[in-house]
Amino acid sequence: MTSTVPPAIPPITGRVWLFGDNLNTDVIHPPQFFSLDEAKVKRGLFHGLDPDIQPGLLPGDILVGGRNFGCGSSRETSIRSLKLNGIGAIVAVDFARIFFRNCTNNGIPCLTPTDPGDLDLLRRHQVVEIDAGEGRMTSDTGDTIALDPPGQFVQRVWRAGGLLPLLPGPRAGREV
């Protein structure tokens, strides 16, 4: 019997966007941007907080927040907007449970720092690299922030790009 090591989660590199505590889903994606039109959903990200954030995002950018990130409703439009904008990962002190699960199900890594005070080392638009499997975030200034490593199942979902590719059906047989 041979054992295969699952592939590593690729490093996530992006610029930091800083937020505080209790960032709720209506602030992440306001209801007036709910739509089947992807362009409208994409455009709505953080519009109520600051309409200049979304146009400045680059694929791979990393959101960093405080406590209770993603609190509020369980609507998946917030996660859909994050995905459409190419958000690479979210690092926060802690997450609203259903938000964490919705992000995981959609392949968006959500990580927590081992020492929440370490997030004070980060600055807006600073470039960081996250090694989710190793539980490490390294800044362009050389600071290293330890992250709590996720469980193997969560890592498997992230490697697959979300839960859907792991379900039986037309995509069956694709082992991640």
Side-chain angles (χ1 to χ4, degrees):
M1 180 177 187
T2 61
S3 172
T4 59
V5 176
I9 299 169
I12 303 161
T13 303
R15 296 173 308 151
V16 168
W17 293 82
L18 297 172
F19 299 93
D21 293 340
N22 302 309
L23 186 65
N24 75 59
T25 54
D26 286 338
V27 171
I28 294 169
H29 191 261
Q32 66 265 33
F33 289 92
F34 294 178
S35 177
L36 295 176
D37 176 7
E38 288 186 351
K40 183 175 183 178
V41 173
K42 182 178 179 179
R43 195 172 55 250
L45 189 63
F46 298 117
H47 194 273
L49 183 64
D50 180 349
D52 293 328
I53 293 175
Q54 187 277 328
L57 291 170
L58 297 174
D61 278 355
I62 296 163
L63 309 182
V64 176
R67 296 198 172 282
N68 205 22
F69 195 103
C71 59
S73 75
S74 62
R75 291 184 296 247
E76 288 195 30
T77 55
S78 300
I79 285 76
R80 184 170 173 232
S81 187
L82 293 168
K83 190 91 171 164
L84 289 170
N85 278 283
I87 297 302
I90 305 170
V91 177
V93 174
D94 58 41
F95 294 89
R97 193 73 209 146
I98 198 159
F99 180 86
F100 176 87
R101 178 49 64 193
N102 283 340
C103 281
T104 297
N105 289 347
N106 284 279
I108 300 173
C110 292
L111 298 139
T112 57
T114 303
D115 178 357
D118 286 347
L119 296 181
D120 293 337
L121 298 170
L122 300 173
R123 300 292 171 251
R124 184 176 187 216
H125 293 166
Q126 177 176 25
V127 175
V128 297
E129 180 177 277
I130 294 175
D131 184 330
E134 293 295 320
R136 180 179 55 241
M137 177 167 51
T138 306
S139 74
D140 57 2
T141 59
D143 293 315
T144 299
I145 296 172
L147 303 172
D148 294 328
Q152 290 301 311
F153 179 73
V154 169
Q155 289 187 45
R156 184 174 175 216
V157 173
W158 290 348
R159 279 193 305 274
L163 187 60
L164 215 53
L166 297 176
L167 298 177
R171 297 180 188 116
R174 181 176 163 211
E175 186 60 33
V176 196

Coordinates of all heavy atoms in Angstrom, one line a residue, residues 79-173:
I79 N -19.7 36.4 -0.5 CA -18.7 35.5 -0.9 C -18.5 35.5 -2.4 O -17.4 35.5 -2.9 CB -18.9 34.1 -0.3 CG1 -18.6 34.0 1.2 CG2 -18.0 33.1 -1.0 CD1 -19.6 34.6 2.1
R80 N -19.6 35.5 -3.1 CA -19.6 35.6 -4.6 C -18.8 36.8 -5.0 O -18.0 36.7 -6.0 CB -21.0 35.5 -5.1 CG -21.1 35.5 -6.6 CD -22.5 35.2 -7.1 NE -22.6 35.3 -8.5 CZ -23.4 36.1 -9.2 NH1 -24.3 36.8 -8.5 NH2 -23.4 36.1 -10.5
S81 N -19.1 37.9 -4.4 CA -18.4 39.2 -4.8 C -16.9 39.1 -4.5 O -16.1 39.5 -5.3 CB -19.0 40.4 -4.0 OG -18.5 41.6 -4.5
L82 N -16.5 38.5 -3.3 CA -15.1 38.3 -3.0 C -14.5 37.4 -4.1 O -13.4 37.7 -4.5 CB -15.0 37.6 -1.6 CG -15.4 38.4 -0.4 CD1 -15.5 37.6 0.8 CD2 -14.5 39.6 -0.2
K83 N -15.1 36.4 -4.5 CA -14.6 35.4 -5.5 C -14.5 36.1 -6.8 O -13.4 36.0 -7.5 CB -15.6 34.2 -5.6 CG -15.0 33.1 -6.4 CD -14.3 32.1 -5.5 CE -14.0 30.9 -6.3 NZ -12.9 30.1 -5.7
L84 N -15.5 36.9 -7.2 CA -15.4 37.6 -8.5 C -14.3 38.6 -8.6 O -13.8 38.9 -9.6 CB -16.8 38.2 -8.8 CG -17.9 37.3 -9.2 CD1 -19.3 38.1 -9.2 CD2 -17.7 36.6 -10.5
N85 N -14.0 39.2 -7.4 CA -12.9 40.2 -7.3 C -11.5 39.5 -7.1 O -10.6 40.2 -7.0 CB -13.2 41.2 -6.2 CG -14.2 42.2 -6.7 OD1 -13.8 43.2 -7.4 ND2 -15.4 42.1 -6.3
G86 N -11.5 38.2 -7.1 CA -10.2 37.5 -7.0 C -9.5 37.6 -5.7 O -8.3 37.5 -5.6
I87 N -10.2 37.8 -4.6 CA -9.6 37.9 -3.3 C -8.9 36.6 -3.0 O -9.5 35.5 -3.2 CB -10.7 38.2 -2.2 CG1 -11.3 39.5 -2.4 CG2 -10.0 38.0 -0.8 CD1 -10.4 40.7 -2.4
G88 N -7.6 36.7 -2.7 CA -6.8 35.5 -2.5 C -7.0 34.8 -1.2 O -6.9 33.5 -1.1
A89 N -7.2 35.5 -0.1 CA -7.4 34.9 1.2 C -7.9 36.0 2.1 O -7.8 37.2 1.8 CB -6.1 34.3 1.7
I90 N -8.4 35.6 3.3 CA -8.8 36.5 4.3 C -8.1 36.0 5.6 O -8.2 34.9 5.9 CB -10.3 36.5 4.5 CG1 -11.1 36.9 3.2 CG2 -10.7 37.5 5.6 CD1 -12.6 36.7 3.2
V91 N -7.5 37.0 6.3 CA -6.9 36.7 7.6 C -7.6 37.6 8.6 O -7.6 38.8 8.4 CB -5.4 37.0 7.6 CG1 -4.7 36.8 8.9 CG2 -4.7 36.1 6.5
A92 N -8.1 37.0 9.7 CA -8.8 37.8 10.7 C -8.6 37.1 12.0 O -8.3 35.9 12.1 CB -10.3 37.9 10.4
V93 N -8.8 37.9 13.1 CA -8.7 37.4 14.4 C -9.7 36.2 14.6 O -9.3 35.1 15.2 CB -8.9 38.5 15.5 CG1 -9.0 37.9 16.9 CG2 -7.9 39.6 15.4
D94 N -10.9 36.3 14.2 CA -11.8 35.2 14.1 C -12.9 35.6 13.1 O -13.0 36.7 12.6 CB -12.4 34.8 15.5 CG -13.1 36.0 16.2 OD1 -13.8 36.7 15.6 OD2 -12.9 36.0 17.4
F95 N -13.7 34.6 12.8 CA -14.7 34.7 11.7 C -16.1 34.3 12.2 O -16.2 33.4 13.1 CB -14.4 33.7 10.5 CG -13.2 34.1 9.8 CD1 -11.9 33.6 10.2 CD2 -13.2 35.0 8.7 CE1 -10.8 34.0 9.5 CE2 -12.1 35.3 8.0 CZ -10.8 34.8 8.4
A96 N -17.1 34.9 11.7 CA -18.5 34.4 11.9 C -18.5 33.0 11.3 O -18.0 32.8 10.2 CB -19.5 35.3 11.3
R97 N -19.0 32.0 12.0 CA -18.9 30.6 11.6 C -19.5 30.4 10.2 O -18.9 29.7 9.4 CB -19.6 29.8 12.6 CG -19.3 28.3 12.5 CD -17.9 28.0 12.9 NE -17.4 26.9 12.2 CZ -16.2 26.7 11.8 NH1 -15.3 27.6 12.1 NH2 -15.8 25.7 11.1
I98 N -20.7 30.9 9.9 CA -21.3 30.6 8.6 C -20.5 31.3 7.5 O -20.4 30.8 6.4 CB -22.8 30.9 8.6 CG1 -23.5 30.2 7.4 CG2 -23.0 32.4 8.5 CD1 -24.9 30.0 7.6
F99 N -19.9 32.5 7.7 CA -19.1 33.1 6.7 C -17.9 32.3 6.4 O -17.5 32.1 5.3 CB -18.7 34.5 7.2 CG -17.9 35.3 6.3 CD1 -18.4 36.1 5.3 CD2 -16.5 35.3 6.3 CE1 -17.7 36.8 4.4 CE2 -15.7 36.0 5.5 CZ -16.3 36.7 4.5
F100 N -17.2 31.8 7.5 CA -16.1 30.9 7.3 C -16.4 29.7 6.4 O -15.7 29.4 5.5 CB -15.5 30.4 8.6 CG -14.4 29.5 8.5 CD1 -13.1 29.9 8.4 CD2 -14.6 28.1 8.5 CE1 -12.0 29.0 8.3 CE2 -13.6 27.2 8.4 CZ -12.3 27.7 8.3
R101 N -17.6 29.1 6.7 CA -18.0 27.9 6.0 C -18.3 28.3 4.5 O -17.9 27.5 3.6 CB -19.2 27.2 6.7 CG -19.7 26.0 6.0 CD -18.7 25.0 5.5 NE -18.0 24.4 6.6 CZ -16.9 23.6 6.5 NH1 -16.4 23.4 5.3 NH2 -16.3 23.1 7.5
N102 N -19.0 29.4 4.3 CA -19.3 29.8 2.9 C -18.1 30.1 2.1 O -18.0 29.7 1.0 CB -20.3 31.0 2.9 CG -21.7 30.6 3.3 OD1 -22.1 29.5 3.1 ND2 -22.5 31.6 3.7
C103 N -17.1 30.7 2.8 CA -15.8 31.0 2.1 C -15.1 29.7 1.7 O -14.7 29.5 0.6 CB -14.9 31.9 2.9 SG -15.4 33.6 2.9
T104 N -15.0 28.8 2.7 CA -14.4 27.5 2.5 C -15.1 26.8 1.4 O -14.4 26.2 0.5 CB -14.4 26.7 3.8 OG1 -13.6 27.4 4.8 CG2 -13.8 25.3 3.6
N105 N -16.4 26.7 1.4 CA -17.2 26.0 0.3 C -16.9 26.6 -1.1 O -17.1 25.9 -2.1 CB -18.7 26.0 0.6 CG -19.0 25.2 1.8 OD1 -18.2 24.3 2.3 ND2 -20.2 25.3 2.3
N106 N -16.5 27.8 -1.1 CA -16.2 28.5 -2.4 C -14.7 28.6 -2.6 O -14.3 29.3 -3.6 CB -16.9 29.9 -2.4 CG -18.4 29.7 -2.6 OD1 -18.8 29.6 -3.8 ND2 -19.2 29.8 -1.6
G107 N -13.9 28.0 -1.8 CA -12.5 28.0 -2.1 C -11.7 29.2 -1.7 O -10.6 29.4 -2.2
I108 N -12.2 30.0 -0.8 CA -11.5 31.2 -0.3 C -10.9 30.9 1.0 O -11.7 30.7 2.0 CB -12.5 32.5 -0.2 CG1 -13.0 32.8 -1.6 CG2 -11.7 33.7 0.3 CD1 -14.1 33.9 -1.6
P109 N -9.6 30.8 1.1 CA -9.0 30.5 2.4 C -9.3 31.6 3.5 O -9.1 32.8 3.2 CB -7.5 30.4 2.1 CG -7.5 30.1 0.7 CD -8.6 30.9 0.1
C110 N -9.7 31.2 4.7 CA -9.8 32.1 5.8 C -8.9 31.6 6.9 O -9.0 30.4 7.3 CB -11.3 32.1 6.3 SG -12.5 32.8 5.2
L111 N -8.0 32.4 7.3 CA -7.0 32.0 8.3 C -7.0 32.9 9.5 O -7.3 34.1 9.4 CB -5.6 32.0 7.6 CG -5.5 31.0 6.5 CD1 -4.8 31.6 5.3 CD2 -4.9 29.7 7.0
T112 N -6.6 32.4 10.6 CA -6.5 33.2 11.9 C -5.0 33.2 12.3 O -4.3 32.2 12.2 CB -7.3 32.6 13.0 OG1 -7.0 31.3 13.2 CG2 -8.8 32.7 12.6
P113 N -4.6 34.4 12.9 CA -3.2 34.5 13.4 C -3.1 33.7 14.7 O -4.0 33.8 15.5 CB -3.0 36.0 13.5 CG -4.3 36.5 13.8 CD -5.3 35.7 13.0
T114 N -2.0 33.1 15.0 CA -1.7 32.5 16.2 C -1.7 33.5 17.3 O -2.3 33.3 18.4 CB -0.4 31.7 16.2 OG1 -0.5 30.8 15.1 CG2 -0.1 31.0 17.5
D115 N -1.1 34.7 17.1 CA -1.1 35.8 18.0 C -1.8 37.0 17.3 O -1.2 37.6 16.4 CB 0.3 36.2 18.4 CG 0.4 37.4 19.3 OD1 -0.6 38.0 19.6 OD2 1.6 37.7 19.7
P116 N -3.0 37.3 17.7 CA -3.7 38.4 17.0 C -2.9 39.7 17.0 O -3.1 40.5 16.0 CB -5.0 38.5 17.8 CG -5.2 37.2 18.4 CD -3.8 36.7 18.7
G117 N -2.1 40.0 17.9 CA -1.3 41.2 18.0 C -0.4 41.3 16.8 O 0.1 42.5 16.5
D118 N 0.0 40.2 16.2 CA 0.9 40.3 15.1 C 0.4 41.0 13.9 O 1.1 41.5 13.0 CB 1.3 38.8 14.7 CG 2.3 38.2 15.6 OD1 2.9 38.9 16.5 OD2 2.5 37.0 15.5
L119 N -1.0 41.0 13.8 CA -1.6 41.7 12.7 C -1.3 43.2 12.7 O -1.3 43.9 11.6 CB -3.1 41.5 12.6 CG -3.6 40.1 12.4 CD1 -5.1 40.0 12.4 CD2 -3.0 39.5 11.1
D120 N -0.9 43.8 13.8 CA -0.5 45.2 13.9 C 0.8 45.5 13.1 O 1.1 46.6 12.8 CB -0.3 45.6 15.4 CG -1.6 45.6 16.1 OD1 -2.6 45.7 15.5 OD2 -1.5 45.5 17.4
L121 N 1.5 44.4 12.7 CA 2.7 44.6 11.9 C 2.4 45.0 10.5 O 3.3 45.5 9.7 CB 3.6 43.3 11.9 CG 4.1 42.8 13.2 CD1 4.7 41.4 13.1 CD2 5.2 43.8 13.8
L122 N 1.2 44.7 10.0 CA 0.8 44.9 8.6 C 0.4 46.3 8.3 O -0.2 47.0 9.2 CB -0.3 43.9 8.3 CG 0.0 42.5 8.4 CD1 -1.2 41.6 8.2 CD2 1.2 42.1 7.5
R123 N 0.6 46.8 7.1 CA 0.3 48.1 6.6 C -0.6 47.9 5.3 O -0.4 47.0 4.6 CB 1.5 49.0 6.3 CG 2.4 49.2 7.5 CD 1.7 50.1 8.6 NE 2.4 50.1 9.8 CZ 2.0 49.6 11.0 NH1 0.9 48.9 11.0 NH2 2.7 49.7 12.1
R124 N -1.4 48.9 5.1 CA -2.3 48.9 3.9 C -1.4 48.8 2.6 O -0.4 49.5 2.5 CB -3.2 50.1 3.9 CG -4.1 50.1 2.7 CD -5.0 51.3 2.8 NE -6.0 51.2 1.7 CZ -6.5 52.2 1.1 NH1 -6.1 53.4 1.3 NH2 -7.4 52.0 0.1
H125 N -1.8 47.9 1.7 CA -1.2 47.7 0.4 C 0.2 47.1 0.5 O 0.9 46.9 -0.5 CB -1.1 49.0 -0.4 CG -2.5 49.4 -0.8 ND1 -2.7 50.7 -1.3 CD2 -3.7 48.9 -0.8 CE1 -4.0 50.9 -1.6 NE2 -4.6 49.7 -1.2
Q126 N 0.7 46.7 1.7 CA 1.9 46.0 1.8 C 1.7 44.6 1.2 O 0.6 44.0 1.2 CB 2.2 45.8 3.3 CG 3.4 45.0 3.7 CD 3.6 45.0 5.2 OE1 2.7 45.2 6.0 NE2 4.8 44.8 5.6
V127 N 2.7 44.1 0.5 CA 2.6 42.8 -0.1 C 3.0 41.7 0.9 O 4.0 41.8 1.6 CB 3.5 42.7 -1.4 CG1 3.5 41.3 -2.0 CG2 3.1 43.7 -2.4
V128 N 2.2 40.6 0.9 CA 2.4 39.5 1.8 C 2.3 38.2 1.0 O 1.6 38.2 -0.1 CB 1.5 39.5 3.0 CG1 1.7 40.7 3.9 CG2 0.1 39.3 2.6
E129 N 2.9 37.2 1.5 CA 2.7 35.8 0.9 C 2.3 34.9 2.0 O 2.8 34.9 3.1 CB 4.0 35.3 0.3 CG 3.8 33.9 -0.3 CD 5.1 33.4 -0.9 OE1 5.3 33.7 -2.1 OE2 5.8 32.6 -0.2
I130 N 1.2 34.2 1.7 CA 0.6 33.2 2.7 C 1.0 31.8 2.2 O 0.7 31.5 1.1 CB -0.9 33.4 2.8 CG1 -1.2 34.8 3.4 CG2 -1.5 32.3 3.6 CD1 -2.7 35.1 3.5
D131 N 1.5 31.0 3.2 CA 1.7 29.6 3.0 C 0.6 29.0 3.9 O 0.9 28.8 5.1 CB 3.1 29.2 3.3 CG 3.3 27.7 3.0 OD1 2.4 26.9 3.2 OD2 4.5 27.3 2.7
A132 N -0.5 28.7 3.4 CA -1.6 28.2 4.2 C -1.3 26.9 4.8 O -1.7 26.6 6.0 CB -2.9 28.2 3.4
G133 N -0.7 26.0 4.1 CA -0.4 24.6 4.6 C 0.6 24.7 5.7 O 0.5 23.9 6.7
E134 N 1.5 25.6 5.7 CA 2.5 25.7 6.7 C 2.1 26.6 7.9 O 2.7 26.7 8.9 CB 3.9 26.2 6.2 CG 4.5 25.2 5.2 CD 5.0 24.0 6.0 OE1 5.4 24.1 7.1 OE2 4.8 22.9 5.4
G135 N 1.0 27.4 7.6 CA 0.5 28.3 8.6 C 1.4 29.5 8.8 O 1.9 29.8 9.9
R136 N 1.7 30.2 7.7 CA 2.7 31.3 7.8 C 2.3 32.4 6.8 O 2.0 32.1 5.7 CB 4.1 30.8 7.5 CG 5.2 31.8 7.6 CD 6.6 31.2 7.3 NE 6.6 30.4 6.0 CZ 6.9 29.1 5.9 NH1 7.1 28.4 6.9 NH2 6.9 28.6 4.7
M137 N 2.5 33.7 7.2 CA 2.3 34.8 6.4 C 3.6 35.6 6.5 O 4.0 36.0 7.6 CB 1.1 35.6 6.7 CG 0.9 36.9 5.9 SD -0.7 37.7 6.0 CE -0.9 37.9 7.8
T138 N 4.2 35.9 5.4 CA 5.5 36.7 5.4 C 5.2 38.0 4.6 O 4.7 38.0 3.5 CB 6.6 35.9 4.7 OG1 6.7 34.6 5.4 CG2 7.9 36.6 4.9
S139 N 5.7 39.1 5.2 CA 5.5 40.4 4.6 C 6.7 40.8 3.8 O 7.8 40.2 3.9 CB 5.2 41.5 5.6 OG 6.5 41.8 6.3
D140 N 6.5 41.8 2.9 CA 7.6 42.2 2.1 C 8.7 42.9 2.9 O 9.8 43.2 2.4 CB 7.1 43.1 0.9 CG 6.4 44.3 1.4 OD1 6.2 44.6 2.6 OD2 5.9 45.1 0.6
T141 N 8.5 43.2 4.2 CA 9.5 43.7 5.0 C 10.2 42.7 5.9 O 11.0 43.0 6.7 CB 8.9 44.8 6.0 OG1 7.9 44.2 6.8 CG2 8.3 46.0 5.3
G142 N 9.8 41.4 5.6 CA 10.5 40.3 6.3 C 9.8 39.8 7.6 O 10.2 38.8 8.2
D143 N 8.7 40.5 8.0 CA 8.0 40.0 9.2 C 7.3 38.7 8.9 O 6.7 38.6 7.8 CB 6.9 41.1 9.6 CG 7.6 42.3 10.2 OD1 8.6 42.2 10.9 OD2 7.1 43.4 9.8
T144 N 7.3 37.8 9.8 CA 6.6 36.5 9.7 C 5.5 36.5 10.7 O 5.8 36.7 11.9 CB 7.5 35.3 9.8 OG1 8.5 35.4 8.7 CG2 6.8 34.0 9.6
I145 N 4.3 36.1 10.3 CA 3.2 36.0 11.2 C 2.7 34.6 11.2 O 2.4 34.0 10.1 CB 2.0 37.0 10.8 CG1 2.5 38.4 10.9 CG2 0.8 36.7 11.6 CD1 1.5 39.4 10.4
A146 N 2.7 33.9 12.3 CA 2.2 32.5 12.4 C 0.7 32.5 12.3 O 0.0 33.3 12.9 CB 2.7 31.9 13.7
L147 N 0.2 31.6 11.5 CA -1.2 31.4 11.3 C -1.6 30.0 11.8 O -0.8 29.1 11.6 CB -1.6 31.5 9.8 CG -1.2 32.8 9.1 CD1 -1.4 32.8 7.6 CD2 -2.0 34.0 9.7
D148 N -2.8 29.9 12.4 CA -3.3 28.6 12.8 C -3.5 27.8 11.6 O -4.3 28.2 10.7 CB -4.6 28.8 13.6 CG -4.3 29.5 14.9 OD1 -3.2 29.4 15.5 OD2 -5.2 30.2 15.4
P149 N -2.9 26.6 11.4 CA -3.1 25.8 10.2 C -4.5 25.2 10.2 O -5.0 24.7 11.3 CB -2.0 24.7 10.3 CG -1.6 24.7 11.8 CD -1.9 26.1 12.4
P150 N -5.1 25.2 9.1 CA -6.5 24.6 9.0 C -6.4 23.1 9.0 O -5.3 22.5 8.7 CB -7.0 25.1 7.7 CG -5.8 25.4 6.9 CD -4.7 25.8 7.8
G151 N -7.4 22.4 9.3 CA -7.5 20.9 9.2 C -7.3 20.4 7.8 O -7.4 21.2 6.8
Q152 N -7.0 19.1 7.7 CA -6.8 18.5 6.4 C -8.0 18.6 5.5 O -7.8 18.8 4.3 CB -6.4 17.0 6.6 CG -5.0 16.9 7.2 CD -3.9 17.5 6.4 OE1 -3.8 17.3 5.2 NE2 -3.1 18.3 7.0
F153 N -9.2 18.4 6.0 CA -10.4 18.5 5.1 C -10.5 19.9 4.6 O -10.8 20.1 3.4 CB -11.6 18.1 5.9 CG -12.8 18.2 5.0 CD1 -13.1 17.3 4.0 CD2 -13.7 19.2 5.1 CE1 -14.2 17.4 3.1 CE2 -14.9 19.4 4.3 CZ -15.1 18.4 3.3
V154 N -10.4 20.9 5.4 CA -10.5 22.3 4.9 C -9.4 22.6 3.8 O -9.7 23.2 2.8 CB -10.4 23.3 6.1 CG1 -10.3 24.7 5.6 CG2 -11.6 23.2 7.0
Q155 N -8.2 22.1 4.1 CA -7.1 22.3 3.1 C -7.5 21.6 1.8 O -7.2 22.1 0.7 CB -5.8 21.8 3.6 CG -5.2 22.6 4.7 CD -3.8 22.2 5.1 OE1 -3.0 21.9 4.3 NE2 -3.6 22.1 6.4
R156 N -8.1 20.4 1.9 CA -8.5 19.7 0.7 C -9.5 20.5 -0.1 O -9.5 20.5 -1.3 CB -9.0 18.3 1.1 CG -9.4 17.4 0.0 CD -9.8 16.1 0.4 NE -10.3 15.3 -0.7 CZ -11.2 14.4 -0.6 NH1 -11.9 14.2 0.5 NH2 -11.6 13.8 -1.7
V157 N -10.5 21.1 0.6 CA -11.5 21.9 -0.1 C -10.8 23.1 -0.8 O -11.1 23.4 -1.9 CB -12.6 22.3 0.9 CG1 -13.6 23.3 0.3 CG2 -13.3 21.1 1.4
W158 N -9.9 23.7 -0.1 CA -9.2 24.9 -0.7 C -8.4 24.5 -1.9 O -8.4 25.2 -2.9 CB -8.3 25.5 0.3 CG -9.0 26.3 1.5 CD1 -10.3 26.6 1.6 CD2 -8.3 26.7 2.7 NE1 -10.5 27.2 2.8 CE2 -9.4 27.3 3.5 CE3 -7.1 26.7 3.2 CZ2 -9.1 27.9 4.7 CZ3 -6.8 27.2 4.4 CH2 -7.8 27.8 5.2
R159 N -7.7 23.4 -1.8 CA -6.9 22.9 -3.0 C -7.8 22.6 -4.2 O -7.4 22.8 -5.3 CB -6.2 21.6 -2.6 CG -4.9 21.8 -1.9 CD -4.0 20.6 -1.9 NE -4.7 19.4 -1.3 CZ -4.8 19.1 0.0 NH1 -4.2 19.9 0.9 NH2 -5.4 18.0 0.4
A160 N -9.1 22.2 -3.9 CA -10.0 21.8 -5.0 C -10.7 23.1 -5.6 O -11.3 23.0 -6.6 CB -11.1 20.9 -4.5
G161 N -10.5 24.2 -4.9 CA -11.1 25.5 -5.3 C -12.5 25.6 -4.8 O -13.3 26.4 -5.3
G162 N -12.9 24.8 -3.8 CA -14.2 24.8 -3.2 C -14.7 23.4 -3.0 O -14.1 22.4 -3.4
L163 N -15.9 23.3 -2.5 CA -16.5 22.0 -2.1 C -17.1 21.3 -3.4 O -17.0 20.1 -3.5 CB -17.6 22.2 -1.1 CG -18.2 20.9 -0.5 CD1 -17.2 20.1 0.2 CD2 -19.3 21.3 0.5
L164 N -17.6 22.1 -4.3 CA -18.3 21.5 -5.4 C -17.5 20.5 -6.2 O -18.0 19.4 -6.6 CB -18.8 22.6 -6.4 CG -20.1 22.4 -7.1 CD1 -21.3 21.9 -6.1 CD2 -20.5 23.6 -7.8
P165 N -16.2 20.8 -6.5 CA -15.4 19.8 -7.3 C -15.2 18.5 -6.6 O -14.8 17.5 -7.2 CB -14.1 20.6 -7.5 CG -14.4 22.0 -7.4 CD -15.5 22.1 -6.4
L166 N -15.4 18.5 -5.3 CA -15.2 17.2 -4.5 C -16.4 16.4 -4.4 O -16.4 15.2 -4.0 CB -14.8 17.6 -3.1 CG -13.4 18.3 -3.0 CD1 -13.1 18.6 -1.5 CD2 -12.3 17.5 -3.5
L167 N -17.6 16.9 -4.9 CA -18.8 16.1 -4.8 C -18.9 15.1 -6.0 O -18.4 15.4 -7.0 CB -20.0 17.0 -4.9 CG -20.1 18.0 -3.7 CD1 -21.3 19.0 -3.9 CD2 -20.3 17.3 -2.4
P168 N -19.5 14.0 -5.7 CA -19.7 13.0 -6.8 C -20.5 13.5 -8.0 O -21.3 14.4 -7.8 CB -20.4 11.8 -6.1 CG -20.5 12.1 -4.7 CD -20.2 13.6 -4.5
G169 N -20.2 13.1 -9.1 CA -20.9 13.5 -10.3 C -20.0 13.7 -11.5 O -18.9 13.0 -11.6
P170 N -20.2 14.6 -12.4 CA -19.4 14.8 -13.6 C -17.9 15.0 -13.2 O -17.1 14.7 -14.0 CB -20.0 16.0 -14.3 CG -21.3 16.2 -13.7 CD -21.3 15.5 -12.3
R171 N -17.7 15.6 -12.0 CA -16.3 15.9 -11.7 C -15.7 14.7 -10.8 O -14.6 14.9 -10.4 CB -16.2 17.2 -10.9 CG -16.7 18.3 -11.7 CD -16.6 19.6 -10.8 NE -17.2 20.7 -11.5 CZ -18.3 21.3 -11.1 NH1 -18.8 21.0 -10.0 NH2 -18.8 22.3 -11.8
A172 N -16.4 13.6 -10.6 CA -15.9 12.5 -9.8 C -14.6 12.0 -10.3 O -14.3 12.1 -11.5 CB -16.9 11.4 -9.8
G173 N -13.8 11.5 -9.4 CA -12.5 11.0 -9.8 C -11.3 12.0 -9.8 O -10.2 11.7 -9.9

